[in-house]
Every structure is written in structure tokens, then in C-alpha cells.
Amino acid sequence: MSALAAPSPDPVEPTDAVPVAVDGLPAAPPVDPAAEAAALEAAEREAQLARLMQRMQKTADFPALKDSIRGIQKISRSDTAHLRALSDEVLGDVGLTNKLLRLINTAFYSSVGGGSITSIKRAIALMGFQSIGMLAASLALFEKLPKGPDGARVQAEFRRALLAGMLASEMCPGFKHQELAYLSALFQNLGTMLGWMHFKDEATEIEAKLVELRAAAAAEEAEAGATGAALDAHPDPLHATVQQTAREVLGIGYEDLGVEVARQWGWPEDLQLALRRLHPRDPELPAGSDERLRVACTAANLLAAKLEALHDPDEIAACLAGFLPAWGVPLGLDEAMLGGMVERARSEWIEMATLLGLQLPNAAPAKGGKGPAMKTTAKPGSTGNGPELIKPRATASAAAGAAGAPAPRPAPPKVAVPAAVGQALGRALEAVSELAMSDAPLAAVLQALMTQVQQALQLQRIVVCLREPASGDLVGRIGLGDRASALAPQFRIALNPPNCLFGLLCAKNADTLISDAGDPVIAQRLPAWFARQVQAPTFLLLPLKLGDKPLGLIYGDRARPHTLQVGDAELTQLKAMRNQLIMAMRMRGAAA
């Protein structure tokens, strides 16, 4: 061997493959088996989703439903759309128009003109863009549900979702949040409904597998001695199993299917995200503002599944007692509040379901035929609805109770509210709504609201307070009636912290009627400026609040005690007017 010859290399132990550059090209990155498997799974999922969407597109009803809901939602969520745009969109579907008008004219909507609304334009003016968009979207889906025995299963899903929507809107107080919560909870089970509408064979197979799994889970609970009555820290243990079973059969989970369809309908990302269930991170801590909507909609769907077949008050009370440990603190609910919410939601649900022709499972009507009889431990003066701690037509006793004072002298019997008051408020609501959705300046909307409400309730004066950015106080800005312009600047209501009855009620967002301000218990808690300058013996307070942010206050009074009467129907109209004002403020940038 030549001395110059290179020695033979030593044997090299095997190692992991090392990328080698070839012909000057960069080395290929190492292959990650896990990432490769995940990419393959994602590709298969997308392919299966495309196949499912193609099957749905072949169903005659689906493209029409998609276009209808997409158009309605796009317009109803717009800050700049006008009455004609949304009314034209709804009127494009004759069946939807007739069903929507029929729904609006039920007793449930009588306070905003139900029974006399003959056009979609008037309905939008009375109820607002968001409300009509919400109802139209749910009705558009309902109209496409299969009828007869073949559609029984999907109609049952829709019926339960309808109750969930009602419950979620109660759990999310605030004009904007209520509407979004209703839609989100209603459509959280959209994928399941679509499965039964378009893939019945696969849905039947999924259901059969789930029945077996539920039976096994029930047997395990029984063996462990669990009662199954409580919704514990893992209140939806089979949800992941449902999604996994759907993926095994359909190739995609029901939840993913619903979100994808919502995306194709043009729903915004925040609403798409709300369609995914979310449980509280900690049942001992309040849900964060960024997750509260999803948590509330998840809770509403779970509670609806438990409640829909119950009608005995004791059974309902037991169900709610089991619900509270996991959801009470995260959603800020107590026993009294939850009882009131459920009672109202079930009443609305029964009326709407009856109108739509949905078969209710053993639901017994409550007093007056409006809903199921229920036990509730709601305290006197409590609406049970979020921050509204005082009944809208609260007497001096209720208001004093909210302020932590002993009960004052009894109030005299209530006088029936004349029918003319409701009629006048109905006309006022329509006028204010149309102006709020026009291009009129905010000052014109405020002036119209004050004029209309003063005339309808025959008030001595009315004053509107708005939040002062520097101090956070509510300050009187504009007034109408006896000395109202001169007295308006005297109104100054501190909220941080509240230091009088006005501030407390505004901070709590409590719509309140004080029948007799001369009652000693009430008088000692009134602001000093009120006692010195205003001295009204009876007055109404309607706070203006957007979410958690106070915006102002509508105040109205009369010259004699116990002469101002506001019933439930009148209050609903006043609230609707107040909501139109808040919407006008938001549209005009005054709610920042």
C-alpha cells in the first residue's frame, strides 16, 4: 500500500439520520412523525368536511337557509343599516315573514304592540335590529326542520336549544349581551341538528353508540352510589365522548360541523367561538369577561337538557340546587336570582314553542297559562335578573330594602294602570325607535324620548343625566317640564362609591319607582340636593347601562305621591325605549 494512501475509515456507529445538502441545495428539515401524523389527520378531516358540505348543498333547503341567515345577520349586526335593508331581507322569504309577524303578535310581545303589528318595518322599529335578527335567524332554521315523524328527533334538538337560548339571555343581562347569548346558546347544538337533518343514518348510528356509553356511565354512577342529581365540577362528562363518537362515524365532531357552517353563513368570529362549549376554570371564581358568554351558553344548554321534561316544582328546585355549586359563582347567580330566571325563561319558551307547533315534553302551564308552576325563594322586590335587584314598579319598601334599611310604612293599594298609558307608550316607542335608527343627532333622539315619555306618563318633569368622564358621576344634562331646565344641573349622582339611594340604584342597574319619597326611611337616603331643590313626592328611575358601564339615567316625577303607576307591560315599553336610546348613543359614539 502506498504511504500516501488514505487509511480506511473506522466503522461508524448508526445514528439518527442527519440532513445532508446535495448539489448546493439546503438540507431538508428532519421529519417529525407526530407533526406528519397531525397534518395527515387535518387533511383527512378537511376532505371529509368538504364531502359533508357537498352532501348538504345537495339538499334543497340548505342553500336557501344559508343565504337567508347570512343576509339577516349581516344587516342586523350593522351599526349603519337602515330599516328598509333589513325589512327587505326578511320580506324576501314570504314564509319567514308570516311566521315572524305571527310570533311578534303573540301575547309575549303585546307590550311592544303585539296584536297590531302588520309590517316588518314597524316590527323592527318597535323591537330593534338585533331582536328581529335574532328571531328571524332562529325561525329561518326552524322553517327548514323536517316535519312529521322523520323530523321528531331534530325538532326535539331545536326545542331544547330554544329553551337554552331563553336561559342564556336571562344569564347575560344587558341589551347587547342578551341578544348574542340567545343566538350563541340556540346554535351551540347546530352541528347536532344538522347531523339529524342531513345525515340521518350516521346520526342514528352515533346515537346508538351514545346510548350504550350513557348506560355504562349510569351503571358506574349507581355502583359508586352517586345520585346523578348534581352537576359537579365536570358537569358535561359525555360531551367529549359525543364529539369523539361523531368523529368516528362522520369524520368530524358535531361542534366542529356547527362552527364550520356558521362560518359559511358569515357569522363573525366571536359568535363562531361562542358556539364551542366552555366550562368554568374554577367553580369558586367568577368567569372572566372574555369567557363569560361561552360559559353562560354552555350552562344554559346543560340546564335546558335537565329542565325541559320537568314540571313539578320540587323536581325543578332540586335540579337548580344541583346546578348552582358548579355554575353559581362563575356566573354570579344565587338561588333567588336563578329561580326567577328559570321561571321567566320557561314561560317564554312554552309560549314560543306552542306558537311554533313544537311538542312539549310533559310541560305543565303555570298560573295564567304562561309557564310552569315553580317554587322560588326570590326576595320581595327582586326581579332575579342579574343586577336588577329591585322590582321595576318597586314601592318605598322595596327600595329601602335594597339600601339595607328597615321596612317603612305600608304603601296604599296599587291603582290599575289605564290602558291609554300603554297605548301612548306604544306610539312613543315607535317614534323614538325610528328616530334612533335614523341619521338624526343624539340631541334630537334625547328630546324626542323626553317629550314622548313625559306625555305618555303625564310627568311633571323629566331629566336625563349622562356620565361625566372626569369624575365618573352622572350629571343632569337636559330636562323638560316644570323647572326641569333649571333643576337638571343640580342632579349629580356619585357611583364610585354610591353615597345615596340614587347612586345605589344606578350602580345596581335597578329600574325603580318610588311611590312616596316622603316616607322617613326613603327620605333619609335621598341626596341632599334632591331634598333641597327637587322635592318630588314620587319618581321613576331608569338607569342607562351598556354591559358593565354606566352611561346615564332617565328620571321622571309627578307632583303627588302614589299617582305614578307603571305595570309590567308599561315597564317593558320603557325598557325598549331606553334600549333604543343606548343603541343611538353607541351608534353615534356617545357610549365610549
Side-chain angles (χ1 to χ4, degrees), residues 299-320:
N301 269 287
L302 290 170
L303 188 56
K306 298 270 185 179
L307 283 175
E308 66 168 340
L310 301 181
H311 63 275
D312 179 76
D314 291 329
E315 293 178 344
I316 294 175
C319 177
L320 300 189

Side-chain angles (χ1 to χ4, degrees), residues 137-168:
S138 56
L139 286 175
L141 175 61
F142 174 77
E143 287 296 292
K144 306 304 180 185
L145 299 185
K147 304 301 187 287
D150 290 343
R153 185 62 174 77
V154 69
Q155 289 194 36
E157 289 288 343
F158 181 83
R159 180 188 64 216
R160 186 182 306 118
L162 197 63
L163 176 56
M166 300 293 188
L167 289 167

Side-chain angles (χ1 to χ4, degrees), residues 46-363:
E46 289 298 322
Q48 179 62 11
L49 177 60
R51 288 191 289 270
L52 293 177
M53 298 304 296
Q54 288 176 358
R55 288 176 61 183
M56 284 194 287
Q57 290 289 352
K58 293 178 181 178
T59 305
D61 287 341
F62 186 76
L65 174 63
K66 171 183 171 182
D67 293 341
S68 177
I69 291 184
R70 176 189 286 173
I72 290 168
Q73 286 303 299
K74 181 179 179 181
I75 296 172
S76 67
R77 293 176 62 87
S78 170
D79 285 343
T80 58
H82 292 280
L83 280 170
R84 183 177 299 277
L86 182 54
S87 60
D88 287 350
E89 184 70 33
V90 176
L91 288 170
D93 187 329
V94 176
L96 175 62
T97 301
N98 293 336
K99 184 75 72 172
L100 189 57
L101 287 174
R102 184 181 167 199
L103 175 63
I104 294 168
N105 280 291
T106 61
F108 178 63
Y109 293 107
S110 61
S111 57
V112 291
S116 61
I117 299 175
T118 57
S119 72
I120 292 297
K121 182 177 180 180
R122 183 162 186 260
I124 296 170
L126 289 173
M127 299 176 66
F129 274 26
Q130 294 271 350
S131 294
I132 294 300
M134 174 184 74
L135 291 174
S138 56
L139 286 175
L141 175 61
F142 174 77
E143 287 296 292
K144 306 304 180 185
L145 299 185
K147 304 301 187 287
D150 290 343
R153 185 62 174 77
V154 69
Q155 289 194 36
E157 289 288 343
F158 181 83
R159 180 188 64 216
R160 186 182 306 118
L162 197 63
L163 176 56
M166 300 293 188
L167 289 167
S169 67
E170 290 283 346
M171 293 177 184
C172 294
F175 180 57
K176 180 180 178 181
H177 293 157
Q178 281 182 323
E179 321 253 346
L180 186 57
Y182 175 93
L183 273 178
S184 302
L186 179 71
F187 287 100
Q188 263 195 353
N189 289 327
L190 176 61
T192 305
M193 287 187 273
L194 292 171
W196 283 100
M197 288 172 68
H198 301 285
F199 316 113
K200 187 176 179 181
D201 291 342
E202 290 92 336
T204 302
E205 181 181 349
I206 293 169
E207 183 67 16
K209 291 186 175 183
L210 291 174
V211 168
E212 295 178 2
L213 291 169
R214 289 190 181 105
E220 290 179 8
E221 278 190 1
E223 188 174 333
T227 62
L231 297 177
D232 57 20
H234 301 284
D236 194 13
L238 286 179
H239 178 64
T241 306
V242 171
Q243 303 311 311
Q244 179 58 36
T245 305
R247 279 192 289 271
E248 292 171 359
V249 177
L250 271 177
I252 185 174
Y254 279 146
E255 190 171 75
D256 290 338
L257 177 62
V259 172
E260 174 61 22
V261 169
R263 185 188 68 79
Q264 294 200 16
W265 282 348
W267 286 10
E269 290 186 2
D270 59 339
L271 189 49
Q272 293 178 42
L273 180 62
L275 300 189
R276 297 190 182 277
R277 293 196 178 191
L278 180 67
H279 296 282
R281 297 175 185 174
D282 187 338
E284 300 300 324
L285 295 176
S289 58
D290 59 335
E291 61 183 10
R292 194 182 190 285
L293 176 68
R294 288 176 64 193
V295 170
C297 292
T298 302
N301 269 287
L302 290 170
L303 188 56
K306 298 270 185 179
L307 283 175
E308 66 168 340
L310 301 181
H311 63 275
D312 179 76
D314 291 329
E315 293 178 344
I316 294 175
C319 177
L320 300 189
F323 175 85
L324 277 172
W327 302 91
V329 174
L331 295 177
L333 304 176
D334 59 28
E335 184 181 0
M337 294 167 63
L338 183 61
M341 290 177 178
V342 169
E343 187 171 18
R344 287 189 300 273
R346 282 179 64 96
S347 295
E348 297 165 10
W349 172 63
I350 288 173
E351 184 167 0
M352 188 177 290
T354 302
L355 169 71
L356 296 174
L358 292 170
Q359 183 69 33
L360 292 175
N362 304 321

Side-chain angles (χ1 to χ4, degrees), residues 486-568:
L487 291 175
Q490 301 297 323
F491 281 69
R492 177 171 284 274
I493 304 163
L495 299 181
N496 298 310
N499 56 16
C500 67
L501 183 62
F502 277 41
L504 175 68
L505 297 176
C506 288
K508 297 296 186 181
N509 200 28
D511 302 320
T512 308
L513 172 60
I514 300 296
S515 297
D516 183 4
D519 186 288
V521 177
I522 295 295
Q524 66 181 333
R525 284 166 175 77
L526 292 173
W529 54 262
F530 184 89
R532 290 194 308 267
Q533 302 289 335
V534 185
Q535 299 177 336
T538 182
F539 57 87
L540 176 70
L541 302 176
L542 298 174
L544 303 173
K545 202 167 187 179
L546 183 61
D548 296 330
K549 182 178 182 179
L551 300 178
L553 170 71
I554 300 171
Y555 163 93
D557 64 33
R558 278 192 178 182
R560 289 188 297 124
H562 306 295
T563 58
L564 182 54
Q565 300 292 338
V566 177
D568 287 335

